[in-house]
Amino acid sequence: MEKGDIPEDANDHCPGPQSESAGKSDACEGCPNQQICATAPKGPDPDMVAIAERMATVKHKILVLSGKGGVGKSTFSAQLAFALAARDFQVGLLDIDMCGPSIPKMLGLEGHAIHQSNLGWSPVYVESNLGVMSIGFLLTDPDEAIIWKGPRKNGLIKQFVKDVYWGELDFLIVDAPPGTSDEHITIVQCLDASNVDGAIIVTTPQQVSLIDVKKEVNFCKKVGVKVLGVVENMSGLCQPITNFKFMKVTEDGEMKDVTEWISEYMKEKAPEMMNLIACSEVFDSSGGGALKMCKEMDLPFLGKVPLDPQLCKAAEEGRSCFADKDCVVSAPALQKIIDKLLETSGLSTLVSNGV
């Protein structure tokens, strides 16, 4: 174990051997390393210097967070990376969700492995200007369960930040797991010396998600991370009316598919309807959704992304929704959000060649 590293057999929420509270905090009770940590000399973590040097070539660092799982945070992270790369920025996407690394699939990189050079670990590249790093690239079996305690997960996150050679980047997007746990504290501590631009928080409209988002906002305030904005994902189901399947309940209570009949009827009787977009609420947004929450908490609201089956399909197939003509609902909504993010965060003046 190098100086400053957290031992693999340490308790959860270990403050770290170099912390002033090492061996003394409540989290240290019963740890086999408690006595060693309590008597060890304290000082600055030498790895932080190496991390700062590594991150010096990264202009902007953005965390993507969510209060709870299943809100589409990784989908947003992936499409944000695709969008920025399409604008000729140099982009890195770091997946620190140790237990559910979905980024490799969403970028079409399943089955790839990490390579090492004299400069460090090399990201896996989608395009020449879009590199990705994830624990998913380290697993020999994609179905393998990651059963790690906090210290081991935190150690790998630290290694990702310290040892991955990103080169010159305009943006490093960090896709974090849901919640406010060890991984979040570790990534903030690791990037603190190199200045994090802030965090984008992804939620869905219903109260059960917004309750957890408020906790995420408070976490950002406590650790000094600016909230760049909130995105309301799955904001109603929207898709072209021609993509819907129409069913009719028969007298026997069975469901009969009448899609073909409806389609032919619309073509003949109301052809102008063929170009309509149909929308329906999926989650209860009667409480005002993310927009109301942002007004109450004085947070930037970046916009809404509808629940679009075509976006879900693009994510499943590892494709950019912006290059997909079928994503007629979600792609424009995401583009507006990204435009607003760049403008309100003062990042719109960034030019990838540094001029």
Side-chain angles (χ1 to χ4, degrees):
M1 182 182 75
E2 297 181 6
K3 181 181 179 182
D5 284 351
I6 295 177
E8 288 192 7
D9 58 350
N11 290 351
D12 289 344
H13 309 295
C14 171
Q18 295 303 306
S19 170
E20 290 297 328
S21 61
K24 306 171 185 176
S25 73
D26 292 341
C28 300
E29 289 295 328
C31 177
N33 309 288
Q34 185 174 11
Q35 185 61 32
I36 297 173
C37 289
T39 57
K42 305 297 185 291
D45 186 345
D47 283 339
M48 291 304 171
V49 177
I51 289 171
E53 291 177 352
R54 182 69 85 181
M55 289 290 105
T57 59
V58 180
K59 295 177 183 175
H60 297 282
K61 306 160 197 73
I62 297 175
L63 306 177
V64 181
L65 309 175
S66 69
K68 67 190 299 294
V71 300
K73 171 186 53 60
S74 294
T75 299
F76 179 82
S77 297
Q79 297 304 322
L80 175 61
F82 275 129
L84 293 174
R87 300 183 188 203
D88 293 327
F89 291 122
Q90 296 293 325
V91 182
L93 177 55
L94 174 58
D95 178 10
I96 63 167
D97 191 341
M98 298 297 156
C99 297
S102 54
I103 287 298
K105 181 174 182 61
M106 291 186 176
L107 274 292
L109 298 174
E110 284 184 300
H112 287 256
I114 295 173
H115 299 285
Q116 194 163 10
S117 69
N118 60 337
L119 296 173
W121 285 355
S122 297
V124 178
Y125 285 90
V126 183
E127 303 287 349
S128 60
N129 66 333
L130 176 52
V132 182
M133 181 57 66
S134 169
I135 191 177
F137 299 138
L138 298 173
L139 303 177
T140 55
D141 180 1
D143 297 326
E144 179 182 350
I146 306 298
I147 308 174
W148 289 1
K149 286 189 175 182
R152 191 174 180 189
K153 291 191 288 185
N154 296 342
L156 183 58
I157 292 172
K158 193 175 183 182
Q159 192 171 4
F160 276 161
V161 180
K162 179 170 67 78
D163 293 343
V164 175
Y165 179 67
W166 296 101
E168 297 282 343
L169 285 185
D170 293 314
F171 291 96
L172 177 64
I173 300 163
V174 181
D175 182 44
T180 54
S181 190
D182 288 349
E183 294 95 322
H184 304 81
I185 297 171
T186 298
I187 192 65
V188 170
Q189 289 176 339
C190 287
L191 296 180
D192 186 53
S194 58
N195 298 320
V196 179
D197 285 87
I200 300 170
I201 301 178
V202 181
T203 183
T204 48
Q206 78 272 39
Q207 287 297 314
V208 70
S209 179
L210 295 174
I211 289 170
D212 290 334
V213 166
K214 292 177 182 178
K215 297 174 184 176
E216 199 77 37
V217 171
N218 289 328
F219 166 81
C220 289
K221 289 180 179 178
K222 288 181 179 179
V223 298
V225 173
K226 179 182 179 182
V227 177
L228 299 175
V230 176
V231 174
E232 183 178 283
N233 197 24
M234 305 183 192
S235 185
L237 171 64
C238 294
Q239 61 178 339
I241 196 168
T242 52
N243 288 358
F244 276 91
K245 178 182 287 188
F246 294 90
M247 309 296 291
K248 180 180 179 181
V249 181
T250 67
E251 293 180 356
D252 298 330
E254 300 292 332
M255 299 287 285
K256 180 182 178 182
D257 189 339
V258 293
T259 305
E260 185 176 351
W261 175 77
I262 289 289
S263 178
E264 292 300 321
Y265 186 88
M266 285 194 296
K267 286 179 183 178
E268 180 182 350
K269 302 294 185 179
E272 65 276 8
M273 291 182 63
M274 303 297 288
N275 296 321
L276 294 180
I277 303 293
C279 299
S280 176
E281 291 292 329
V282 177
F283 299 113
D284 179 20
S285 59
S286 59
L291 177 58
K292 182 181 179 182
M293 183 202 71
C294 286
K295 289 179 179 178
E296 292 173 348
M297 301 188 73
D298 193 25
L299 298 171
F301 179 66
L302 295 176
K304 301 180 179 182
V305 183
L307 182 58
D308 180 1
Q310 294 301 322
L311 174 60
C312 299
K313 184 178 180 182
E316 286 286 320
E317 297 176 356
R319 297 182 286 105
S320 166
C321 74
F322 306 106
D324 189 339
K325 62 180 178 62
D326 293 327
C327 293
V328 296
V329 176
S330 54
L334 284 165
Q335 286 286 18
K336 288 181 180 179
I337 287 172
I338 294 166
D339 288 341
K340 188 172 183 179
L341 168 69
L342 295 177
E343 181 180 349
T344 58
S345 303
L347 305 177
S348 58
T349 56
L350 175 66
V351 180
S352 59
N353 60 13
V355 177

PDB file of all heavy atoms in Angstrom, residues 57-70:
ATOM      1  N   THR A  57      -4.391  19.201 -18.263  1.00  0.00           N
ATOM      2  CA  THR A  57      -4.644  19.256 -19.708  1.00  0.00           C
ATOM      3  C   THR A  57      -6.134  19.171 -20.036  1.00  0.00           C
ATOM      4  O   THR A  57      -6.505  19.110 -21.200  1.00  0.00           O
ATOM      5  CB  THR A  57      -3.906  18.108 -20.428  1.00  0.00           C
ATOM      6  OG1 THR A  57      -4.358  16.852 -19.910  1.00  0.00           O
ATOM      7  CG2 THR A  57      -2.402  18.224 -20.234  1.00  0.00           C
ATOM      8  N   VAL A  58      -6.971  19.166 -18.991  1.00  0.00           N
ATOM      9  CA  VAL A  58      -8.428  19.109 -19.175  1.00  0.00           C
ATOM     10  C   VAL A  58      -9.010  20.480 -18.842  1.00  0.00           C
ATOM     11  O   VAL A  58      -8.900  20.946 -17.711  1.00  0.00           O
ATOM     12  CB  VAL A  58      -9.067  18.038 -18.275  1.00  0.00           C
ATOM     13  CG1 VAL A  58     -10.577  17.986 -18.484  1.00  0.00           C
ATOM     14  CG2 VAL A  58      -8.443  16.666 -18.552  1.00  0.00           C
ATOM     15  N   LYS A  59      -9.632  21.126 -19.820  1.00  0.00           N
ATOM     16  CA  LYS A  59     -10.113  22.493 -19.612  1.00  0.00           C
ATOM     17  C   LYS A  59     -11.337  22.557 -18.718  1.00  0.00           C
ATOM     18  O   LYS A  59     -11.438  23.404 -17.841  1.00  0.00           O
ATOM     19  CB  LYS A  59     -10.425  23.142 -20.972  1.00  0.00           C
ATOM     20  CG  LYS A  59      -9.215  23.335 -21.871  1.00  0.00           C
ATOM     21  CD  LYS A  59      -9.623  23.914 -23.214  1.00  0.00           C
ATOM     22  CE  LYS A  59      -8.423  24.041 -24.131  1.00  0.00           C
ATOM     23  NZ  LYS A  59      -8.821  24.503 -25.492  1.00  0.00           N
ATOM     24  N   HIS A  60     -12.307  21.669 -18.961  1.00  0.00           N
ATOM     25  CA  HIS A  60     -13.571  21.737 -18.224  1.00  0.00           C
ATOM     26  C   HIS A  60     -13.980  20.354 -17.742  1.00  0.00           C
ATOM     27  O   HIS A  60     -13.902  19.388 -18.493  1.00  0.00           O
ATOM     28  CB  HIS A  60     -14.678  22.344 -19.098  1.00  0.00           C
ATOM     29  CG  HIS A  60     -14.401  23.750 -19.506  1.00  0.00           C
ATOM     30  ND1 HIS A  60     -14.589  24.818 -18.674  1.00  0.00           N
ATOM     31  CD2 HIS A  60     -13.917  24.252 -20.669  1.00  0.00           C
ATOM     32  CE1 HIS A  60     -14.242  25.927 -19.299  1.00  0.00           C
ATOM     33  NE2 HIS A  60     -13.833  25.615 -20.509  1.00  0.00           N
ATOM     34  N   LYS A  61     -14.427  20.300 -16.483  1.00  0.00           N
ATOM     35  CA  LYS A  61     -14.821  19.031 -15.855  1.00  0.00           C
ATOM     36  C   LYS A  61     -16.247  19.168 -15.346  1.00  0.00           C
ATOM     37  O   LYS A  61     -16.532  20.064 -14.546  1.00  0.00           O
ATOM     38  CB  LYS A  61     -13.863  18.693 -14.717  1.00  0.00           C
ATOM     39  CG  LYS A  61     -12.406  18.689 -15.152  1.00  0.00           C
ATOM     40  CD  LYS A  61     -11.469  18.831 -13.979  1.00  0.00           C
ATOM     41  CE  LYS A  61     -10.082  19.231 -14.449  1.00  0.00           C
ATOM     42  NZ  LYS A  61     -10.021  20.647 -14.893  1.00  0.00           N
ATOM     43  N   ILE A  62     -17.115  18.286 -15.817  1.00  0.00           N
ATOM     44  CA  ILE A  62     -18.537  18.357 -15.477  1.00  0.00           C
ATOM     45  C   ILE A  62     -18.995  17.020 -14.902  1.00  0.00           C
ATOM     46  O   ILE A  62     -18.800  15.970 -15.519  1.00  0.00           O
ATOM     47  CB  ILE A  62     -19.384  18.709 -16.714  1.00  0.00           C
ATOM     48  CG1 ILE A  62     -19.001  20.096 -17.247  1.00  0.00           C
ATOM     49  CG2 ILE A  62     -20.875  18.657 -16.386  1.00  0.00           C
ATOM     50  CD1 ILE A  62     -19.707  20.463 -18.541  1.00  0.00           C
ATOM     51  N   LEU A  63     -19.602  17.063 -13.720  1.00  0.00           N
ATOM     52  CA  LEU A  63     -20.186  15.869 -13.108  1.00  0.00           C
ATOM     53  C   LEU A  63     -21.645  15.760 -13.529  1.00  0.00           C
ATOM     54  O   LEU A  63     -22.353  16.764 -13.607  1.00  0.00           O
ATOM     55  CB  LEU A  63     -20.111  15.949 -11.585  1.00  0.00           C
ATOM     56  CG  LEU A  63     -18.745  16.199 -10.942  1.00  0.00           C
ATOM     57  CD1 LEU A  63     -18.903  16.312  -9.431  1.00  0.00           C
ATOM     58  CD2 LEU A  63     -17.764  15.097 -11.294  1.00  0.00           C
ATOM     59  N   VAL A  64     -22.098  14.543 -13.796  1.00  0.00           N
ATOM     60  CA  VAL A  64     -23.518  14.288 -14.065  1.00  0.00           C
ATOM     61  C   VAL A  64     -24.029  13.420 -12.928  1.00  0.00           C
ATOM     62  O   VAL A  64     -23.572  12.294 -12.733  1.00  0.00           O
ATOM     63  CB  VAL A  64     -23.743  13.606 -15.429  1.00  0.00           C
ATOM     64  CG1 VAL A  64     -25.234  13.388 -15.669  1.00  0.00           C
ATOM     65  CG2 VAL A  64     -23.152  14.450 -16.559  1.00  0.00           C
ATOM     66  N   LEU A  65     -24.971  13.977 -12.159  1.00  0.00           N
ATOM     67  CA  LEU A  65     -25.444  13.343 -10.935  1.00  0.00           C
ATOM     68  C   LEU A  65     -26.947  13.096 -10.984  1.00  0.00           C
ATOM     69  O   LEU A  65     -27.660  13.700 -11.786  1.00  0.00           O
ATOM     70  CB  LEU A  65     -25.135  14.235  -9.723  1.00  0.00           C
ATOM     71  CG  LEU A  65     -23.709  14.757  -9.561  1.00  0.00           C
ATOM     72  CD1 LEU A  65     -23.645  15.715  -8.378  1.00  0.00           C
ATOM     73  CD2 LEU A  65     -22.727  13.609  -9.366  1.00  0.00           C
ATOM     74  N   SER A  66     -27.411  12.220 -10.110  1.00  0.00           N
ATOM     75  CA  SER A  66     -28.852  12.025  -9.929  1.00  0.00           C
ATOM     76  C   SER A  66     -29.098  11.625  -8.494  1.00  0.00           C
ATOM     77  O   SER A  66     -28.246  10.998  -7.854  1.00  0.00           O
ATOM     78  CB  SER A  66     -29.397  10.950 -10.873  1.00  0.00           C
ATOM     79  OG  SER A  66     -28.928   9.672 -10.501  1.00  0.00           O
ATOM     80  N   GLY A  67     -30.253  12.003  -7.971  1.00  0.00           N
ATOM     81  CA  GLY A  67     -30.578  11.637  -6.599  1.00  0.00           C
ATOM     82  C   GLY A  67     -30.940  10.176  -6.460  1.00  0.00           C
ATOM     83  O   GLY A  67     -30.715   9.564  -5.428  1.00  0.00           O
ATOM     84  N   LYS A  68     -31.518   9.593  -7.527  1.00  0.00           N
ATOM     85  CA  LYS A  68     -31.924   8.187  -7.483  1.00  0.00           C
ATOM     86  C   LYS A  68     -31.611   7.535  -8.816  1.00  0.00           C
ATOM     87  O   LYS A  68     -31.360   8.210  -9.810  1.00  0.00           O
ATOM     88  CB  LYS A  68     -33.413   8.053  -7.147  1.00  0.00           C
ATOM     89  CG  LYS A  68     -34.346   8.585  -8.218  1.00  0.00           C
ATOM     90  CD  LYS A  68     -35.791   8.654  -7.706  1.00  0.00           C
ATOM     91  CE  LYS A  68     -36.326   7.294  -7.305  1.00  0.00           C
ATOM     92  NZ  LYS A  68     -36.457   6.373  -8.443  1.00  0.00           N
ATOM     93  N   GLY A  69     -31.630   6.216  -8.816  1.00  0.00           N
ATOM     94  CA  GLY A  69     -31.334   5.478 -10.037  1.00  0.00           C
ATOM     95  C   GLY A  69     -32.523   5.421 -10.985  1.00  0.00           C
ATOM     96  O   GLY A  69     -33.662   5.676 -10.593  1.00  0.00           O
ATOM     97  N   GLY A  70     -32.257   5.095 -12.236  1.00  0.00           N
ATOM     98  CA  GLY A  70     -33.326   4.875 -13.199  1.00  0.00           C
ATOM     99  C   GLY A  70     -33.925   6.123 -13.804  1.00  0.00           C
ATOM    100  O   GLY A  70     -34.995   6.062 -14.413  1.00  0.00           O
TER     101      GLY A  70
END
